[in-house]
Amino acid sequence: MVDKQYVYFFGEGTRDMKKLLGGKGANLSEMTNIGLPVPPGFTITTETCILFNELGKKYPDGLEEQIDGNLKKLEDKMGMRFNDKENPLLVSVRSGAAVSMPGMMDTVLNLGLNDETVMTLIQKSGNERFGWDSYRRFIQMFGDVVMGVAHEKFEHAIHAKKTEKNAKVDTDLTANDLKELVDDYKKIIKDEKGTSFPQDPKTQLKMAIDAVFDSWNNKRAITYRNLNGIPHDLGTGVNVQTMVFGNMGNHSGTGVAFSRSPSTGENKEYGEYLINAQGEDVVAGTRTPQSISKLKDEMPAIYNQLMDIFKKLEIHYKDMQDMEFTFQEGRLFMLQTRTGKRTAAAALQVAVDMVNEGLIDKKTAVMRVEPAQIDQLLHKQLDKKAQGMAQLIAKGLPASPGGAVGMVVFHADDAVEEAKKGKKVILVRTETSPEDIEGMATAQGILTARGGMTSHAAVVARGMGKSCVAGCEEIRVFERKEYFTAKDIKVNKGDWITLDGSTGQVYLGQIPVVDAELSGNFGIFMKWVDEFRKLGVRANADTPKDSEVALKFGAAGIGLCRTEHMFFEASRIKAVRKMIVARNEKDRRDALMTLLPFQKQDFIEIFEVMQGLPVTIRLLDPPLHEFLPTDDSDIEELAKELGLEFDELKNTINSLHEINPMMGHRGCRLPITYPEILEMQTRAIIEASIELTKKGIIVKPEIMIPVVGIANEVKLLKGQIVEISDELIKKNNVKLEYKVGTMIEVPRACLIADEIAAEAEFFSFGTNDLTQLTFGFSRDDSGKFLPEYINKGILEKDPFATLDREGVGELVKLAVQRGRKTRSNLKIGICGEHGGDPASVEFCHIIGMDYVSCSPFRVPIARLAAAQAALRN
Ligand code: ADP
Ligand code: MG
Ligand code: MG
């Protein structure tokens, strides 16, 4: 039987073998294959690592022979040998998994040095200092990462040596000082481990390889994998590679570079190098590296060769590369290449440029930009440098992206007041409620101590495209006393804070923000995106202003217009309250009639903005008590306005209190008890439509009934809507088409979707409520336990953020099938928060919905996610 291949010489693998060889190994092979100058070496596979650990840290049969064979091959190729008197081979041992993973073993350089080979190295290079410096670096790295001696011990020794010799920096130490240091280091190892530093290169190599295998299961690596959802059975490869020396003098050096700018995407090399340096010196920050453009003057031959290689690698990999290189006495070597990480702006620029250069096609370009990156482009961002130095005081949920700076206020009214004075404020509250809408709209950002990713604050802030950190359990808010605390820090009204809604971080003081700027690339790129997607993308918008934003971001209509938000405006809330506390139908009707013109005007404005695109309007949904005051003083004031006794009003308000309002008197249950609410809203919608139709403006209203679970609910309410609408249309003698449909957000509605579809002309899945009711998780309270569910691995993701395909998704699928069985042309969409989440959008594509609807600022994200879903499935 032929042994399994555990070891691949550079050149035997290809870039497609990342899983087996690790990213570093696969690309070292690939670069070798395309003729780039890569110091020869070999890769031990990731499978070997797993086997080694499974076998209780033993080599599988044949591995030792394969390592020996490849080492011999390397020695022959280089004309160098381990321990050779004239040409001693030195190697690096480098770990490398399939995915880039900090936590694995650090690289060991200069392996093969010992008391004898160091003398040869000195003799050959004619550089005594270089020899001893390489040797002491090797013992230090080997002692630390292979033998497990605390690195402080070595640092302490070098520090002591510097003090003793009056040396300011490492480079002030002479050859002789370094030679003495080698002895000190050896003694440290002996004292700490009871064994000597191994002199035999083969023993050194075996120990280093084993240490790499071991490091796969060190604590750091396991934690990192857990945090990033990386499987534990991938294993790491081990690369053994001939050393090249950037520290051989002034014609040697080492550097890292990107083939294009990872910051802007500009097609210009970007990177740094250091003369007379080795390995990590460039990133270690002991000396300040030079910009790569300087190399052009200093070493033009090397520079030109490097530029040719950058170009060659880009054409080969068809993507921007992040590379490591070293030059030894004027000879260039490539040590690593990989796909370069980049900012959102750079991702867009590179994608568009590469299509224009003919390097990639549009499909590839569309797949290359992460939907989440688009988010970065649409919102203000904190200045990264300043952010790094600012004082972080708490961390909450990244509820709505973007940076915000302002002075703290604790009441929505204050936010409005201060904003009028031209001040920038951040509204800080334990949690927000619908009453706070205006204050939220005028604040720069919102910070709440309680509530999850779909809490009121989070949903409203996202809708407004406003920065929000929610559920920040580390702070305590004292609204009445007007301060909040974060651990032992007290923040008063008027103090400045900064929020990073993209990460959930809260800082004391002001961090500069950079405006979002949409480049021409954005438009070009989004046009390509639209060529591939099948799903329509609409927006959830309640105001003409939101509708404008939605349109600007490419929404194909409004998928959810929530009418209750229109009720909270100062000019209307009085009439709303009057309507709610009315004792009889007549009073209620009177109050509603004062609301009608307002509501009608709202719709006229939204329809005008939307220019003939469909607008789905949801009838009043929330429990009525949400509109009523809770403070006695406010009740007193309202009682006066309405000409009621305080006690009387207070009783009415109390009687409206519900134990479980989200499952109470809300949604379609409101018009079933109070038909006049539906009547007013239908009239407002249809009269607005008629008025515009008469002016020659096309209007496509879609009236949506929320929270249905019973077919008869729809039958009854639809009947009323149609009767009112048709009469108005007939009376005005216009041609107007409208639709009546339902939200699907109660599990029962999914099960009887076939019956509902007999009445409803469209379905829109309200997946927030559907998730809440399917799991039986209260959305507003889930912040208390859901994080623990994620920590303990009970749930992989927050189901309110990413649609749960197994449970909620099955219900949705069922409803789509049953609904379409009754009505084949049933229009189906989703308007929950999930409509802007890329993984959920993919699900909607797969099950064949017509559209997704999300907050205006997420429209571009949903468009991209929809295109990627179509290309992937
Ligand atoms: P990391 O994954 O942390 O980047 P690497 O294995 O890439 O670790 O190596 C760390 C540093 O050592 C890099 O700067 C790399 O270029 C350098 N290096 C690795 N192997 C060699 C070698 N054979 N000759 C010279 N420098 C090397
Ligand atoms: Mg590297
Ligand atoms: Mg709902």
Side-chain angles (χ1 to χ4, degrees):
M1 197 187 101
V2 188
D3 272 341
K4 196 175 172 81
Q5 187 171 358
Y6 295 114
V7 186
Y8 288 73
F9 207 75
F10 289 176
E12 285 186 309
T14 66
R15 69 186 199 190
D16 303 318
M17 292 162 74
K18 266 194 193 153
K19 195 159 174 285
L20 187 65
L21 302 179
K24 208 178 276 169
N27 285 332
L28 282 166
S29 255
E30 187 78 12
M31 284 200 290
T32 306
N33 283 333
I34 60 172
L36 296 187
V38 176
F42 54 85
T43 306
I44 308 174
T45 65
T46 56
E47 278 176 5
T48 316
C49 167
I50 296 298
L51 264 178
F52 173 83
N53 285 313
E54 275 174 9
L55 293 171
K57 310 202 176 185
K58 289 214 176 59
Y59 282 8
D61 283 347
L63 175 58
E64 203 172 323
E65 290 76 11
Q66 289 189 28
I67 293 178
D68 285 347
N70 277 278
L71 183 62
K72 171 102 188 3
K73 188 168 165 184
L74 184 61
E75 289 178 331
D76 289 346
K77 191 172 171 95
M78 299 306 297
M80 298 169 129
R81 268 174 223 291
F82 263 174
N83 241 351
D84 196 84
K85 295 275 171 300
E86 273 152 32
N87 265 325
L89 175 71
L90 303 185
V91 296
S92 65
V93 177
R94 321 168 66 186
S95 60
V99 283
S100 147
M101 218 188 90
M104 300 303 311
M105 195 189 85
D106 290 332
T107 296
V108 175
L109 301 176
N110 310 335
L111 187 142
L113 279 176
N114 56 29
D115 295 351
E116 282 167 24
T117 49
V118 70
M119 298 315 294
T120 317
L121 190 66
I122 288 169
Q123 203 188 3
K124 271 185 63 188
S125 63
N127 186 338
E128 201 182 351
R129 196 184 180 283
F130 160 68
W132 290 110
D133 187 48
S134 301
Y135 194 22
R136 74 96 196 155
R137 282 176 193 253
F138 171 50
I139 301 177
Q140 182 168 354
M141 283 184 267
F142 192 88
D144 170 8
V145 304
V146 177
M147 298 187 76
V149 177
H151 61 92
E152 295 89 30
K153 301 269 175 195
F154 299 108
E155 271 150 35
H156 186 79
I158 195 168
H159 191 77
K161 185 64 61 190
K162 282 196 312 207
T163 316
E164 181 194 328
K165 305 286 174 178
N166 247 328
K168 275 207 199 75
V169 289
D170 295 7
T171 37
D172 289 343
L173 292 172
T174 64
N176 201 52
D177 300 339
L178 292 165
K179 189 177 167 193
E180 287 173 23
L181 200 56
V182 162
D183 285 334
D184 296 348
Y185 279 2
K186 284 194 209 156
K187 188 163 177 310
I188 290 173
I189 291 182
K190 180 89 206 234
D191 288 351
E192 289 293 310
K193 291 284 144 184
T195 54
S196 301
F197 164 77
Q199 288 285 320
D200 173 35
K202 270 211 157 164
T203 308
Q204 293 170 355
L205 181 63
K206 175 151 186 356
M207 286 172 74
I209 292 171
D210 292 2
V212 174
F213 286 158
D214 261 344
S215 73
W216 178 253
N217 283 328
N218 72 26
K219 225 177 128 215
R220 209 160 48 130
I222 292 175
T223 309
Y224 184 85
R225 290 200 293 273
N226 281 340
L227 283 176
N228 293 280
I230 300 170
H232 293 291
D233 60 356
L234 293 177
T236 178
V238 186
N239 299 289
V240 177
Q241 185 173 26
T242 311
M243 279 306 300
V244 287
F245 299 96
N247 55 340
M248 238 187 210
N250 290 334
H251 297 284
S252 304
T254 182
V256 293
F258 290 82
S259 55
R260 305 185 185 217
S261 162
S263 153
T264 64
E266 191 194 352
N267 190 359
K268 188 170 182 296
E269 73 282 2
Y270 179 104
E272 293 177 326
Y273 72 102
L274 265 178
I275 292 289
N276 197 8
Q278 186 173 42
E280 306 281 80
D281 290 357
V282 177
V283 279
T286 38
R287 276 194 281 155
T288 311
Q290 308 258 29
S291 155
I292 198 98
S293 54
K294 196 84 198 285
L295 193 64
K296 195 176 187 167
D297 309 323
E298 260 191 58
M299 307 191 79
I302 294 280
Y303 176 84
N304 289 334
Q305 201 190 344
L306 206 51
M307 291 309 115
D308 285 347
I309 289 176
F310 286 6
K311 188 153 220 172
K312 194 163 179 182
L313 278 175
E314 269 208 352
I315 291 174
H316 188 70
Y317 282 92
K318 302 196 187 317
D319 203 350
M320 185 243 274
Q321 296 296 298
D322 168 0
M323 297 150 297
E324 291 173 3
F325 60 91
T326 283
F327 44 97
Q328 176 180 332
E329 309 209 289
R331 259 186 84 190
L332 178 66
F333 296 93
M334 295 306 292
L335 291 168
Q336 192 171 339
T337 192
R338 59 184 160 192
T339 306
K341 292 220 164 59
R342 60 204 83 178
T343 62
L348 217 59
Q349 180 80 44
V350 170
V352 171
D353 282 352
M354 286 193 168
V355 170
N356 291 338
E357 291 161 22
L359 208 54
I360 57 175
D361 60 11
K362 290 181 192 172
K363 272 187 198 169
T364 311
V366 166
M367 290 307 288
R368 269 218 191 131
V369 178
E370 290 276 329
Q373 284 187 312
I374 293 283
D375 222 16
Q376 271 183 44
L377 291 174
L378 306 178
H379 293 94
K380 290 183 177 178
Q381 298 293 320
L382 296 182
D383 180 88
K384 283 276 168 295
K385 261 210 187 116
Q387 186 172 8
M389 294 183 295
Q391 187 186 357
L392 180 69
I393 56 170
K395 193 160 183 284
L397 299 171
S400 180
V405 190
M407 288 184 274
V408 172
V409 295
F410 294 92
H411 300 281
D413 297 346
D414 291 343
V416 177
E417 275 308 300
E418 298 296 316
K420 269 192 204 140
K421 293 184 214 151
K423 298 229 172 95
K424 294 192 163 167
V425 300
I426 305 265
L427 179 62
V428 181
R429 296 198 55 83
T430 302
E431 53 199 341
T432 61
S433 68
E435 286 177 275
D436 299 326
I437 292 276
E438 237 184 307
M440 294 170 80
T442 50
Q444 301 295 311
I446 296 139
L447 168 63
T448 66
R450 262 194 250 139
M453 291 292 284
T454 51
S455 60
H456 178 265
V459 173
V460 172
R462 279 197 292 275
M464 292 173 172
K466 198 158 286 235
S467 170
C468 174
V469 174
C472 187
E473 307 266 355
E474 293 169 19
I475 65 165
R476 291 192 58 195
V477 185
F478 302 89
E479 275 103 350
R480 273 171 197 271
K481 296 187 182 146
E482 308 210 294
Y483 71 90
F484 78 85
T485 57
K487 286 179 208 106
D488 45 3
I489 297 163
K490 185 174 170 196
V491 182
N492 294 304
K493 181 178 177 190
D495 290 349
W496 286 88
I497 61 168
T498 302
L499 305 181
D500 186 344
S502 315
T503 60
Q505 286 159 317
V506 182
Y507 298 90
L508 199 61
Q510 306 178 55
I511 302 177
V513 288
V514 208
D515 266 329
E517 207 180 303
L518 292 183
S519 66
N521 289 326
F522 181 76
I524 297 171
F525 181 78
M526 292 310 290
K527 230 181 94 203
W528 298 342
V529 162
D530 291 342
E531 287 171 21
F532 297 113
R533 72 183 160 93
K534 304 269 184 312
L535 269 177
V537 177
R538 296 194 191 181
N540 299 349
D542 310 331
T543 63
K545 205 172 133 234
D546 286 353
S547 309
E548 268 166 34
V549 177
L551 211 56
K552 189 178 92 190
F553 287 146
I558 291 178
L560 176 64
C561 173
R562 287 164 289 215
T563 51
E564 57 268 22
H565 287 174
M566 303 168 173
F567 284 15
F568 277 106
E569 255 175 51
S571 53
R572 309 171 183 187
I573 188 75
K574 204 173 23 168
V576 174
R577 289 172 169 168
K578 231 183 193 163
M579 181 260 296
I580 295 171
V581 300
R583 290 297 177 69
N584 52 50
E585 194 191 319
K586 157 117 197 351
D587 289 354
R588 199 158 33 243
R589 258 181 202 286
D590 287 349
L592 279 164
M593 279 308 132
T594 50
L595 282 172
L596 178 62
F598 288 118
Q599 185 112 93
K600 184 170 152 189
Q601 190 56 32
D602 289 331
F603 294 135
I604 288 180
E605 287 170 23
I606 290 175
F607 290 148
E608 274 178 333
V609 172
M610 292 314 288
Q611 312 168 10
L613 294 171
V615 177
T616 307
I617 297 159
R618 180 177 73 184
L619 299 179
L620 193 64
D621 182 29
L624 294 179
H625 67 86
E626 277 193 12
F627 299 98
L628 295 176
T630 47
D631 270 13
D632 275 0
S633 59
D634 293 342
I635 296 176
E636 178 102 54
E637 199 178 310
L638 181 65
K640 241 182 242 152
E641 280 172 27
L642 299 179
L644 296 169
E645 289 300 319
F646 172 84
D647 287 342
E648 200 183 352
L649 182 61
K650 178 119 186 170
N651 278 340
T652 311
I653 289 174
N654 284 344
S655 72
L656 282 165
H657 172 79
E658 292 179 289
I659 303 291
N660 217 335
M662 292 318 281
M663 293 165 86
H665 194 186
R666 61 173 288 217
C668 70
R669 301 155 203 167
L670 289 170
I672 284 175
T673 44
Y674 304 131
E676 45 293 351
I677 297 181
L678 173 140
E679 189 185 323
M680 183 280 279
Q681 291 203 296
T682 305
R683 287 182 75 110
I685 297 165
I686 298 298
E687 284 181 10
S689 305
I690 289 173
E691 207 170 303
L692 291 179
T693 306
K694 282 184 177 164
K695 283 195 202 152
I697 297 170
I698 300 169
V699 190
K700 289 189 182 151
E702 303 179 339
I703 301 176
M704 180 157 77
I705 310 169
V707 205
V708 302
I710 307 163
N712 277 335
E713 288 171 333
V714 189
K715 200 165 175 195
L716 176 77
L717 297 176
K718 185 190 173 188
Q720 292 168 6
I721 293 169
V722 168
E723 196 185 311
I724 296 163
S725 303
D726 287 354
E727 197 189 307
L728 283 170
I729 293 169
K730 199 164 153 219
K731 203 171 86 189
N732 284 279
N733 195 19
V734 289
K735 215 173 147 307
L736 171 69
E737 278 177 32
Y738 67 95
K739 284 198 170 84
V740 182
T742 61
M743 293 273 284
I744 302 285
E745 51 191 333
V746 172
R748 190 178 194 277
C750 296
L751 301 173
I752 57 145
D754 47 347
E755 286 176 50
I756 292 180
E759 298 293 335
E761 294 167 285
F762 63 87
F763 282 177
S764 177
F765 288 92
T767 47
N768 295 346
D769 268 314
L770 190 59
T771 299
Q772 162 163 275
L773 293 167
T774 302
F775 277 91
F777 286 166
S778 160
R779 168 155 64 108
D780 300 299
D781 302 309
S782 63
K784 292 207 178 78
F785 54 87
L786 260 186
E788 225 25 53
Y789 272 62
I790 313 288
N791 279 344
K792 298 214 157 93
I794 299 170
L795 281 174
E796 209 177 299
K797 287 183 183 145
D798 178 350
F800 289 109
T802 295
L803 191 93
D804 154 54
R805 293 192 191 191
E806 277 168 35
V808 180
E810 273 303 298
L811 280 173
V812 172
K813 227 157 94 180
L814 193 77
V816 169
Q817 283 160 7
R818 294 197 176 167
R820 287 228 171 102
K821 214 167 79 195
T822 307
R823 192 188 286 266
S824 59
N825 65 349
L826 185 71
K827 259 219 150 165
I828 300 179
I830 175 179
C831 64
E833 281 293 304
H834 299 99
D837 168 66
S840 312
V841 170
E842 179 172 46
F843 176 76
C844 296
H845 169 86
I846 292 171
I847 65 163
M849 283 196 193
D850 296 299
Y851 69 89
V852 297
S853 187
C854 55
S855 57
F857 278 88
R858 296 194 76 85
V859 166
I861 300 168
R863 284 161 68 196
L864 177 56
Q868 293 187 346
L871 289 172
R872 221 180 280 128
N873 294 283

mmCIF file of all heavy atoms in Angstrom, residues 618 621 662 666 706-707 743 745 766 768-770 779, ligand 3:
data_model
loop_
_atom_site.group_PDB
_atom_site.id
_atom_site.type_symbol
_atom_site.label_atom_id
_atom_site.label_comp_id
_atom_site.label_asym_id
_atom_site.label_seq_id
_atom_site.Cartn_x
_atom_site.Cartn_y
_atom_site.Cartn_z
ATOM 1 N N ARG A 618 -50.195 49.931 6.352
ATOM 2 C CA ARG A 618 -50.738 49.059 7.384
ATOM 3 C C ARG A 618 -51.720 49.826 8.246
ATOM 4 O O ARG A 618 -51.424 50.938 8.708
ATOM 5 C CB ARG A 618 -49.604 48.525 8.260
ATOM 6 C CG ARG A 618 -50.096 47.617 9.364
ATOM 7 C CD ARG A 618 -48.953 47.035 10.170
ATOM 8 N NE ARG A 618 -48.340 48.041 11.032
ATOM 9 C CZ ARG A 618 -47.270 47.802 11.786
ATOM 10 N NH1 ARG A 618 -46.686 46.611 11.752
ATOM 11 N NH2 ARG A 618 -46.770 48.744 12.557
ATOM 12 N N ASP A 621 -51.957 49.525 14.247
ATOM 13 C CA ASP A 621 -51.562 48.236 14.805
ATOM 14 C C ASP A 621 -51.385 48.194 16.324
ATOM 15 O O ASP A 621 -51.833 47.255 16.974
ATOM 16 C CB ASP A 621 -50.271 47.787 14.102
ATOM 17 C CG ASP A 621 -49.786 46.420 14.557
ATOM 18 O OD1 ASP A 621 -50.626 45.591 14.947
ATOM 19 O OD2 ASP A 621 -48.573 46.170 14.518
ATOM 20 N N MET A 662 -48.827 42.958 23.721
ATOM 21 C CA MET A 662 -48.453 42.505 22.385
ATOM 22 C C MET A 662 -49.370 41.385 21.885
ATOM 23 O O MET A 662 -49.442 41.099 20.702
ATOM 24 C CB MET A 662 -46.991 42.043 22.345
ATOM 25 C CG MET A 662 -45.989 43.162 22.528
ATOM 26 S SD MET A 662 -46.412 44.676 21.624
ATOM 27 C CE MET A 662 -45.880 44.220 19.976
ATOM 28 N N ARG A 666 -55.021 44.702 19.784
ATOM 29 C CA ARG A 666 -54.189 45.389 18.802
ATOM 30 C C ARG A 666 -54.462 44.804 17.422
ATOM 31 O O ARG A 666 -55.211 43.857 17.280
ATOM 32 C CB ARG A 666 -52.708 45.219 19.150
ATOM 33 C CG ARG A 666 -52.275 43.766 19.150
ATOM 34 C CD ARG A 666 -50.779 43.615 19.325
ATOM 35 N NE ARG A 666 -50.073 44.029 18.138
ATOM 36 C CZ ARG A 666 -48.977 43.429 17.666
ATOM 37 N NH1 ARG A 666 -48.462 42.392 18.307
ATOM 38 N NH2 ARG A 666 -48.384 43.857 16.580
ATOM 39 N N PRO A 706 -53.204 44.109 9.784
ATOM 40 C CA PRO A 706 -52.204 43.432 10.623
ATOM 41 C C PRO A 706 -52.776 42.397 11.582
ATOM 42 O O PRO A 706 -53.976 42.398 11.883
ATOM 43 C CB PRO A 706 -51.591 44.592 11.407
ATOM 44 C CG PRO A 706 -52.661 45.620 11.490
ATOM 45 C CD PRO A 706 -53.556 45.444 10.287
ATOM 46 N N VAL A 707 -51.895 41.521 12.056
ATOM 47 C CA VAL A 707 -52.146 40.557 13.142
ATOM 48 C C VAL A 707 -53.351 39.641 12.907
ATOM 49 O O VAL A 707 -54.051 39.300 13.860
ATOM 50 C CB VAL A 707 -52.291 41.265 14.524
ATOM 51 C CG1 VAL A 707 -51.939 40.303 15.664
ATOM 52 C CG2 VAL A 707 -51.374 42.462 14.644
ATOM 53 N N MET A 743 -50.940 41.192 6.731
ATOM 54 C CA MET A 743 -49.670 40.808 7.322
ATOM 55 C C MET A 743 -49.846 39.340 7.713
ATOM 56 O O MET A 743 -50.923 38.933 8.128
ATOM 57 C CB MET A 743 -49.425 41.554 8.632
ATOM 58 C CG MET A 743 -49.214 43.007 8.566
ATOM 59 S SD MET A 743 -47.525 43.483 8.278
ATOM 60 C CE MET A 743 -46.690 43.263 9.815
ATOM 61 N N GLU A 745 -48.259 37.210 10.487
ATOM 62 C CA GLU A 745 -47.341 37.330 11.624
ATOM 63 C C GLU A 745 -47.797 36.522 12.832
ATOM 64 O O GLU A 745 -47.202 36.583 13.900
ATOM 65 C CB GLU A 745 -47.173 38.807 12.004
ATOM 66 C CG GLU A 745 -48.486 39.541 12.192
ATOM 67 C CD GLU A 745 -48.332 41.058 12.306
ATOM 68 O OE1 GLU A 745 -47.259 41.498 12.731
ATOM 69 O OE2 GLU A 745 -49.286 41.776 11.987
ATOM 70 N N GLY A 766 -44.717 39.590 8.603
ATOM 71 C CA GLY A 766 -44.208 40.419 9.694
ATOM 72 C C GLY A 766 -43.376 39.500 10.571
ATOM 73 O O GLY A 766 -43.867 38.937 11.548
ATOM 74 N N ASN A 768 -41.002 39.907 12.669
ATOM 75 C CA ASN A 768 -40.690 40.202 14.074
ATOM 76 C C ASN A 768 -41.708 39.526 14.980
ATOM 77 O O ASN A 768 -41.361 38.781 15.887
ATOM 78 C CB ASN A 768 -40.739 41.714 14.344
ATOM 79 C CG ASN A 768 -39.664 42.469 13.584
ATOM 80 O OD1 ASN A 768 -38.740 41.864 13.064
ATOM 81 N ND2 ASN A 768 -39.804 43.776 13.523
ATOM 82 N N ASP A 769 -42.977 39.806 14.710
ATOM 83 C CA ASP A 769 -44.024 39.191 15.524
ATOM 84 C C ASP A 769 -44.071 37.683 15.318
ATOM 85 O O ASP A 769 -44.280 36.924 16.261
ATOM 86 C CB ASP A 769 -45.391 39.802 15.186
ATOM 87 C CG ASP A 769 -45.701 40.988 16.091
ATOM 88 O OD1 ASP A 769 -45.500 40.855 17.307
ATOM 89 O OD2 ASP A 769 -46.112 42.036 15.568
ATOM 90 N N LEU A 770 -43.872 37.259 14.084
ATOM 91 C CA LEU A 770 -43.933 35.823 13.815
ATOM 92 C C LEU A 770 -42.839 35.077 14.592
ATOM 93 O O LEU A 770 -43.072 33.992 15.126
ATOM 94 C CB LEU A 770 -43.808 35.553 12.307
ATOM 95 C CG LEU A 770 -44.101 34.116 11.872
ATOM 96 C CD1 LEU A 770 -45.508 33.687 12.260
ATOM 97 C CD2 LEU A 770 -43.911 33.963 10.358
ATOM 98 N N ARG A 779 -40.109 39.851 22.417
ATOM 99 C CA ARG A 779 -39.025 40.559 21.750
ATOM 100 C C ARG A 779 -38.415 41.626 22.643
ATOM 101 O O ARG A 779 -37.218 41.847 22.656
ATOM 102 C CB ARG A 779 -39.609 41.177 20.484
ATOM 103 C CG ARG A 779 -38.750 42.164 19.788
ATOM 104 C CD ARG A 779 -39.131 42.217 18.341
ATOM 105 N NE ARG A 779 -40.479 42.696 18.127
ATOM 106 C CZ ARG A 779 -40.751 43.902 17.623
ATOM 107 N NH1 ARG A 779 -39.767 44.717 17.331
ATOM 108 N NH2 ARG A 779 -41.986 44.271 17.414
HETATM 109 MG MG MG B 3 -46.471 43.050 13.804
#
